[in-house]
Amino acid sequence: MKRSSSNRKIQVFINFRGEELRCSFVSHLVEAFKRHGINFFIDKDEQKGKDLKHLFARIKQSRMALAIFSKRYAESSWCLDELARIKKRADQRKLRVVPIFFKVKAESVRYQEAEFGRNFWRLAKTSSGEQIKRWKEALESVSDKVGLTLGDKRYLTDQVIVSNLILRFFSCWFPFWAQCEVELKSKHQP
């Protein structure tokens, strides 16, 4: 488990495929969140196979969720179960969710196609019909929201991508961010 140092309510839940992104894009995102004083949660120290109730509680505590889709995202029932819970909270208007398509096309996620789709259907073979239905609904719903597409531009470093993400994400999409900035400034003034 990794949280920012503040005791305030968790603001951003980060949903991602750890094996693929933890030591690259997500590590830069976490550092940028820390620098900007943004509260967040990632499942850094959670044990595989452990009950997801703890993670679902963290989703419930969050005001926003980032669903970071990547080619290997759909290999993980854990990611997909989190996403289904995120969708449920978003449908209830209790959580804002922003998809980030990291070197994967939104259409591949939405329709479970290409490498993303092959990974999804491989996992689906070992899953129940009800699980598959919830996962597909979540993938279709969340991938249809306004989000960010981070392509395969090899000349951009993860740090540059994250910096741009932070600026665009908080300044354009979430009006309450202005209030958060005011709170941060007042905390740092003598």
Coordinates of all heavy atoms in Angstrom, one line a residue, residues 79-131:
C79 N -6.9 -6.2 -11.6 CA -7.2 -4.9 -12.3 C -8.6 -4.8 -12.8 O -9.3 -3.7 -12.6 CB -6.3 -4.7 -13.5 SG -4.5 -4.4 -13.1
L80 N -9.1 -5.8 -13.4 CA -10.5 -5.8 -13.9 C -11.5 -5.8 -12.8 O -12.6 -5.1 -13.0 CB -10.7 -7.0 -14.8 CG -9.9 -7.0 -16.1 CD1 -9.8 -8.3 -16.8 CD2 -10.4 -5.9 -17.1
D81 N -11.3 -6.4 -11.7 CA -12.2 -6.4 -10.6 C -12.2 -4.9 -10.0 O -13.3 -4.4 -9.6 CB -11.9 -7.4 -9.5 CG -12.2 -8.8 -9.9 OD1 -13.1 -9.0 -10.8 OD2 -11.6 -9.7 -9.3
E82 N -11.1 -4.3 -9.9 CA -11.0 -2.9 -9.4 C -11.8 -2.0 -10.4 O -12.5 -1.2 -9.9 CB -9.6 -2.4 -9.3 CG -8.7 -3.0 -8.2 CD -7.3 -2.5 -8.2 OE1 -6.9 -1.7 -9.1 OE2 -6.5 -2.9 -7.3
L83 N -11.6 -2.2 -11.7 CA -12.2 -1.4 -12.7 C -13.7 -1.5 -12.6 O -14.5 -0.5 -12.7 CB -11.7 -1.8 -14.1 CG -12.2 -0.9 -15.2 CD1 -11.6 0.5 -15.1 CD2 -11.9 -1.5 -16.6
A84 N -14.2 -2.8 -12.4 CA -15.7 -3.0 -12.2 C -16.2 -2.2 -11.0 O -17.3 -1.6 -11.1 CB -16.0 -4.4 -12.1
R85 N -15.5 -2.1 -10.0 CA -15.9 -1.4 -8.8 C -15.8 0.1 -9.1 O -16.7 0.9 -8.6 CB -15.0 -1.7 -7.6 CG -15.4 -1.1 -6.3 CD -16.9 -1.3 -5.9 NE -17.2 -2.7 -5.7 CZ -17.3 -3.3 -4.5 NH1 -17.2 -2.6 -3.4 NH2 -17.6 -4.6 -4.4
I86 N -14.8 0.5 -9.8 CA -14.7 1.9 -10.1 C -15.8 2.4 -11.0 O -16.4 3.4 -10.8 CB -13.3 2.2 -10.9 CG1 -12.2 2.1 -9.9 CG2 -13.3 3.5 -11.6 CD1 -10.8 2.0 -10.5
K87 N -16.2 1.5 -12.0 CA -17.4 1.8 -12.8 C -18.6 2.0 -12.0 O -19.4 2.9 -12.2 CB -17.6 0.7 -13.9 CG -18.8 1.0 -14.8 CD -19.3 -0.3 -15.4 CE -20.5 -0.1 -16.2 NZ -21.7 0.1 -15.4
K88 N -18.8 1.1 -11.1 CA -20.0 1.1 -10.2 C -20.1 2.4 -9.5 O -21.1 3.1 -9.4 CB -20.0 -0.1 -9.2 CG -21.2 -0.1 -8.3 CD -21.1 -1.3 -7.4 CE -22.3 -1.4 -6.4 NZ -22.2 -2.5 -5.5
R89 N -19.0 2.9 -8.9 CA -19.0 4.1 -8.1 C -19.2 5.3 -9.1 O -19.8 6.3 -8.7 CB -17.6 4.3 -7.4 CG -17.3 3.2 -6.4 CD -18.0 3.4 -5.0 NE -17.6 4.6 -4.4 CZ -18.3 5.1 -3.4 NH1 -19.4 4.5 -3.0 NH2 -18.0 6.3 -2.9
A90 N -18.6 5.3 -10.3 CA -18.8 6.3 -11.2 C -20.2 6.4 -11.7 O -20.8 7.5 -11.8 CB -17.8 6.1 -12.4
D91 N -20.8 5.3 -11.9 CA -22.3 5.2 -12.3 C -23.1 5.9 -11.2 O -24.2 6.5 -11.5 CB -22.7 3.8 -12.6 CG -22.2 3.2 -13.8 OD1 -21.6 4.0 -14.6 OD2 -22.3 2.0 -14.0
Q92 N -22.7 5.8 -10.0 CA -23.5 6.4 -8.8 C -23.1 7.8 -8.6 O -23.6 8.5 -7.7 CB -23.2 5.6 -7.5 CG -23.6 4.2 -7.6 CD -23.0 3.3 -6.4 OE1 -22.0 3.7 -5.8 NE2 -23.6 2.2 -6.2
R93 N -22.2 8.3 -9.5 CA -21.7 9.7 -9.4 C -21.0 10.0 -8.1 O -21.0 11.1 -7.6 CB -22.8 10.7 -9.7 CG -23.5 10.5 -11.0 CD -24.1 11.8 -11.5 NE -24.9 11.7 -12.7 CZ -24.5 11.4 -13.9 NH1 -23.2 11.1 -14.1 NH2 -25.3 11.4 -14.9
K94 N -20.3 9.0 -7.6 CA -19.5 9.1 -6.3 C -18.0 9.2 -6.6 O -17.3 9.3 -5.7 CB -19.9 8.0 -5.4 CG -21.3 8.0 -4.9 CD -21.6 6.9 -4.0 CE -23.1 7.0 -3.5 NZ -23.4 5.9 -2.6
L95 N -17.7 9.0 -7.9 CA -16.3 8.9 -8.3 C -16.1 9.4 -9.7 O -17.0 9.0 -10.5 CB -15.8 7.5 -8.1 CG -14.3 7.2 -8.5 CD1 -13.4 7.7 -7.4 CD2 -14.2 5.7 -8.6
R96 N -15.1 10.2 -10.0 CA -14.8 10.6 -11.4 C -13.7 9.7 -11.8 O -12.7 9.4 -11.1 CB -14.3 12.0 -11.4 CG -15.4 13.0 -11.2 CD -14.9 14.4 -11.4 NE -15.9 15.4 -11.0 CZ -16.0 16.5 -11.6 NH1 -15.2 16.9 -12.6 NH2 -17.0 17.4 -11.3
V97 N -13.8 9.2 -13.0 CA -12.8 8.3 -13.5 C -12.3 8.8 -14.9 O -13.1 9.3 -15.7 CB -13.3 6.8 -13.7 CG1 -14.5 6.7 -14.6 CG2 -12.2 5.9 -14.1
V98 N -11.0 8.7 -15.0 CA -10.3 9.2 -16.3 C -9.5 8.0 -16.8 O -8.6 7.5 -16.1 CB -9.4 10.4 -16.0 CG1 -8.6 10.8 -17.3 CG2 -10.2 11.6 -15.5
P99 N -9.8 7.6 -18.0 CA -9.0 6.5 -18.6 C -7.7 7.1 -19.2 O -7.7 8.3 -19.7 CB -9.9 6.0 -19.7 CG -10.7 7.1 -20.1 CD -10.9 7.9 -18.8
I100 N -6.6 6.4 -19.0 CA -5.4 6.8 -19.7 C -5.0 5.5 -20.5 O -4.8 4.4 -20.0 CB -4.3 7.1 -18.7 CG1 -4.7 8.3 -17.8 CG2 -2.9 7.3 -19.4 CD1 -3.7 8.6 -16.7
F101 N -4.8 5.8 -21.8 CA -4.5 4.7 -22.7 C -3.0 4.8 -23.0 O -2.5 5.6 -23.8 CB -5.3 4.8 -24.0 CG -6.8 4.8 -23.7 CD1 -7.5 6.0 -23.7 CD2 -7.4 3.6 -23.5 CE1 -8.8 6.0 -23.4 CE2 -8.8 3.6 -23.2 CZ -9.5 4.8 -23.1
F102 N -2.2 3.9 -22.3 CA -0.8 4.0 -22.3 C -0.3 3.0 -23.4 O -0.3 1.7 -23.2 CB -0.2 3.6 -21.0 CG 1.3 3.8 -20.9 CD1 1.9 5.1 -20.7 CD2 2.2 2.7 -21.1 CE1 3.2 5.3 -20.6 CE2 3.5 2.9 -21.0 CZ 4.1 4.2 -20.8
K103 N 0.0 3.5 -24.6 CA 0.5 2.7 -25.7 C -0.4 1.6 -26.1 O -0.1 0.5 -26.5 CB 1.9 2.1 -25.3 CG 3.0 3.2 -25.1 CD 4.3 2.6 -24.8 CE 5.3 3.8 -24.5 NZ 6.6 3.3 -24.1
V104 N -1.7 1.9 -25.9 CA -2.8 1.0 -26.4 C -4.0 1.9 -26.9 O -4.1 3.0 -26.4 CB -3.3 0.1 -25.2 CG1 -3.9 0.8 -24.1 CG2 -4.2 -1.0 -25.7
K105 N -4.7 1.4 -27.9 CA -5.8 2.2 -28.4 C -7.0 2.1 -27.6 O -7.3 1.0 -27.1 CB -6.0 1.8 -29.9 CG -4.9 2.1 -30.8 CD -5.2 1.8 -32.2 CE -4.0 2.1 -33.1 NZ -4.3 1.8 -34.5
A106 N -7.8 3.1 -27.5 CA -9.1 3.1 -26.8 C -10.0 2.0 -27.4 O -10.7 1.3 -26.6 CB -9.7 4.5 -26.8
E107 N -10.0 1.9 -28.7 CA -10.8 0.9 -29.3 C -10.5 -0.5 -28.9 O -11.3 -1.4 -28.8 CB -10.8 1.1 -30.9 CG -11.3 2.4 -31.4 CD -10.4 3.5 -31.2 OE1 -9.1 3.3 -31.1 OE2 -10.9 4.7 -31.1
S108 N -9.2 -0.7 -28.8 CA -8.7 -2.1 -28.3 C -9.2 -2.4 -27.0 O -9.6 -3.6 -26.7 CB -7.2 -2.1 -28.3 OG -6.7 -2.0 -29.6
V109 N -9.3 -1.4 -26.1 CA -9.8 -1.6 -24.7 C -11.4 -1.8 -24.8 O -11.9 -2.7 -24.3 CB -9.5 -0.4 -23.8 CG1 -10.1 -0.6 -22.5 CG2 -7.9 -0.4 -23.7
R110 N -12.0 -0.9 -25.5 CA -13.5 -0.8 -25.5 C -14.0 -2.1 -26.1 O -15.0 -2.7 -25.6 CB -13.9 0.4 -26.4 CG -15.4 0.6 -26.3 CD -15.8 1.9 -27.0 NE -15.1 3.0 -26.4 CZ -14.3 3.8 -27.1 NH1 -14.0 3.6 -28.4 NH2 -13.7 4.8 -26.5
Y111 N -13.4 -2.6 -27.2 CA -13.9 -3.8 -27.9 C -13.1 -5.1 -27.6 O -13.3 -6.1 -28.3 CB -14.1 -3.5 -29.4 CG -14.9 -2.3 -29.6 CD1 -14.4 -1.2 -30.2 CD2 -16.3 -2.3 -29.3 CE1 -15.1 0.0 -30.5 CE2 -17.0 -1.2 -29.6 CZ -16.5 -0.1 -30.1 OH -17.2 1.1 -30.4
Q112 N -12.2 -5.0 -26.7 CA -11.3 -6.1 -26.4 C -10.7 -6.7 -27.7 O -10.8 -7.9 -28.0 CB -12.0 -7.2 -25.6 CG -12.6 -6.8 -24.3 CD -13.9 -6.1 -24.4 OE1 -14.9 -6.7 -24.9 NE2 -14.1 -4.9 -23.9
E113 N -9.9 -5.9 -28.3 CA -9.3 -6.3 -29.6 C -7.8 -6.2 -29.5 O -7.2 -5.7 -28.5 CB -9.7 -5.3 -30.7 CG -11.2 -5.4 -31.0 CD -11.7 -4.4 -32.0 OE1 -11.0 -3.4 -32.2 OE2 -12.7 -4.6 -32.7
A114 N -7.1 -6.6 -30.5 CA -5.6 -6.6 -30.7 C -5.0 -7.3 -29.5 O -5.6 -8.2 -28.9 CB -5.1 -5.2 -30.8
E115 N -3.8 -6.9 -29.1 CA -3.1 -7.6 -28.0 C -3.8 -7.5 -26.7 O -3.9 -8.5 -25.9 CB -1.7 -7.1 -27.8 CG -0.8 -7.8 -26.8 CD 0.6 -7.3 -26.7 OE1 1.0 -6.5 -27.6 OE2 1.3 -7.8 -25.8
F116 N -4.4 -6.3 -26.4 CA -5.2 -6.1 -25.2 C -6.4 -7.2 -25.2 O -6.6 -7.8 -24.2 CB -5.8 -4.7 -25.2 CG -6.6 -4.4 -24.0 CD1 -5.9 -3.8 -22.9 CD2 -7.9 -4.7 -23.8 CE1 -6.6 -3.5 -21.7 CE2 -8.6 -4.5 -22.7 CZ -8.0 -3.9 -21.6
G117 N -7.1 -7.3 -26.3 CA -8.2 -8.3 -26.4 C -7.7 -9.7 -26.3 O -8.4 -10.5 -25.6
R118 N -6.6 -10.1 -26.9 CA -6.1 -11.4 -26.7 C -5.8 -11.8 -25.3 O -6.2 -12.8 -24.8 CB -4.9 -11.7 -27.6 CG -5.2 -11.8 -29.1 CD -4.0 -12.2 -29.9 NE -2.9 -11.2 -29.9 CZ -2.8 -10.1 -30.6 NH1 -3.8 -9.8 -31.5 NH2 -1.7 -9.3 -30.5
N119 N -5.2 -10.8 -24.5 CA -5.0 -11.0 -23.1 C -6.3 -11.1 -22.3 O -6.4 -12.0 -21.4 CB -4.1 -9.9 -22.6 CG -2.7 -9.9 -23.1 OD1 -2.2 -11.0 -23.4 ND2 -2.1 -8.8 -23.2
F120 N -7.3 -10.3 -22.7 CA -8.6 -10.4 -22.0 C -9.2 -11.7 -22.2 O -9.7 -12.4 -21.2 CB -9.5 -9.3 -22.5 CG -10.9 -9.3 -21.9 CD1 -11.1 -8.7 -20.7 CD2 -11.9 -9.9 -22.6 CE1 -12.4 -8.8 -20.1 CE2 -13.2 -10.0 -22.0 CZ -13.4 -9.5 -20.7
W121 N -9.3 -12.2 -23.4 CA -10.0 -13.4 -23.7 C -9.2 -14.6 -23.2 O -9.9 -15.6 -22.8 CB -10.3 -13.6 -25.2 CG -11.3 -12.5 -25.6 CD1 -11.1 -11.4 -26.4 CD2 -12.7 -12.5 -25.1 NE1 -12.3 -10.7 -26.5 CE2 -13.3 -11.4 -25.7 CE3 -13.5 -13.3 -24.3 CZ2 -14.6 -11.0 -25.5 CZ3 -14.8 -13.0 -24.1 CH2 -15.3 -11.8 -24.6
R122 N -7.9 -14.6 -23.1 CA -7.2 -15.6 -22.4 C -7.6 -15.7 -20.9 O -7.8 -16.8 -20.4 CB -5.7 -15.4 -22.6 CG -4.8 -16.6 -22.6 CD -3.3 -16.4 -22.9 NE -2.8 -15.0 -23.1 CZ -2.6 -14.4 -24.3 NH1 -2.9 -15.1 -25.4 NH2 -2.2 -13.2 -24.4
L123 N -7.7 -14.6 -20.3 CA -8.1 -14.6 -18.9 C -9.6 -15.0 -18.7 O -9.9 -15.7 -17.8 CB -7.9 -13.2 -18.3 CG -8.4 -13.0 -16.8 CD1 -7.6 -13.9 -15.9 CD2 -8.3 -11.5 -16.4
A124 N -10.4 -14.6 -19.7 CA -11.8 -14.9 -19.6 C -12.1 -16.4 -19.7 O -13.0 -16.9 -19.1 CB -12.5 -14.2 -20.8
K125 N -11.2 -17.2 -20.3 CA -11.3 -18.6 -20.4 C -11.3 -19.3 -19.0 O -11.9 -20.4 -18.8 CB -10.2 -19.3 -21.2 CG -10.3 -19.0 -22.7 CD -9.2 -19.6 -23.5 CE -9.3 -19.2 -24.9 NZ -8.1 -19.8 -25.7
T126 N -10.7 -18.6 -18.0 CA -10.6 -19.2 -16.7 C -11.6 -18.5 -15.7 O -11.4 -18.6 -14.5 CB -9.2 -19.1 -16.1 OG1 -8.8 -17.7 -16.0 CG2 -8.2 -19.9 -17.1
S127 N -12.5 -17.7 -16.2 CA -13.4 -16.8 -15.4 C -14.8 -17.2 -15.6 O -15.2 -17.8 -16.6 CB -13.1 -15.4 -15.7 OG -11.8 -15.1 -15.6
S128 N -15.7 -16.7 -14.7 CA -17.1 -17.0 -14.8 C -17.8 -16.1 -15.7 O -17.3 -15.0 -16.0 CB -17.8 -16.9 -13.4 OG -17.8 -15.5 -13.0
G129 N -18.9 -16.5 -16.2 CA -19.7 -15.6 -17.1 C -20.1 -14.3 -16.5 O -20.0 -13.3 -17.2
E130 N -20.4 -14.3 -15.2 CA -20.8 -13.1 -14.6 C -19.6 -12.1 -14.5 O -19.7 -10.9 -14.6 CB -21.4 -13.4 -13.2 CG -21.9 -12.1 -12.4 CD -23.0 -11.4 -13.2 OE1 -23.8 -12.0 -13.9 OE2 -23.0 -10.1 -13.1
Q131 N -18.4 -12.7 -14.1 CA -17.2 -11.9 -14.1 C -16.9 -11.2 -15.4 O -16.6 -10.0 -15.5 CB -16.0 -12.7 -13.7 CG -15.7 -12.8 -12.3 CD -14.4 -13.7 -12.1 OE1 -14.2 -14.7 -12.7 NE2 -13.5 -13.2 -11.2

